Amino acid sequence: EAVLLRFLRARDFKIDKAQDMLLRSLAWRKQYQVDRLLDTWEVPQPLQEYFSGGWHHHDSEDRPVYVLRLGQMDIKGLFKTFGETGLLKYLLRIEEEGLQRTEEATSQTGKPICSWTCICDLD
């Protein structure tokens, strides 16, 4: 239900447009095997070490919080070392973890948690 609500909100509750968006999203996820990412892709240790970000508790509305410390990262170095594909996979993994955490928060709180919060620290 929460997934459908997200797509409906994104398209101002226009059912045809929300359905089209959902179907395109599902096709993209299948093409890039996003649903298998958490189970099949092992994050390289240096990427875990040098990518400054992590999950931290919940915000005031019980959404999971991810703190992304962009100011502490050597983005060019990460890009050069891991390439576009490696960084994309890692960002998709973070997104999938976020979706998993929203489901857990929904179960724990008994209310629908449909999103997570990302704080970008530029210092």
Side-chain angles (χ1 to χ4, degrees), residues 9-79:
R9 283 181 180 155
R11 292 297 175 245
D12 295 322
F13 291 90
K14 293 183 173 113
I15 295 172
D16 290 343
K17 289 184 177 185
Q19 180 183 18
D20 181 57
M21 184 182 183
L22 174 61
L23 292 174
R24 285 186 290 119
S25 176
L26 291 172
W28 184 87
R29 291 178 65 85
K30 184 176 182 179
Q31 178 183 352
Y32 292 99
Q33 301 179 345
V34 175
D35 293 327
R36 298 180 42 203
L37 194 61
L38 289 176
D39 297 328
T40 61
W41 187 64
E42 189 69 32
V43 180
Q45 185 61 34
L47 185 53
Q48 287 180 356
E49 188 175 329
Y50 293 107
F51 191 93
S52 300
W55 292 101
H56 297 276
H57 307 290
H58 297 86
D59 67 12
S60 61
E61 296 180 12
D62 295 317
R63 294 177 298 220
V65 174
Y66 189 87
V67 177
L68 181 58
R69 301 188 68 204
L70 288 173
Q72 303 296 314
M73 278 191 250
D74 175 10
I75 301 293
K76 288 181 181 178
L78 287 170
F79 204 87

Side-chain angles (χ1 to χ4, degrees), residues 77-89:
L78 287 170
F79 204 87
K80 187 181 283 188
T81 304
F82 301 102
E84 182 179 347
T85 302
L87 288 177
L88 178 60
K89 277 186 174 181

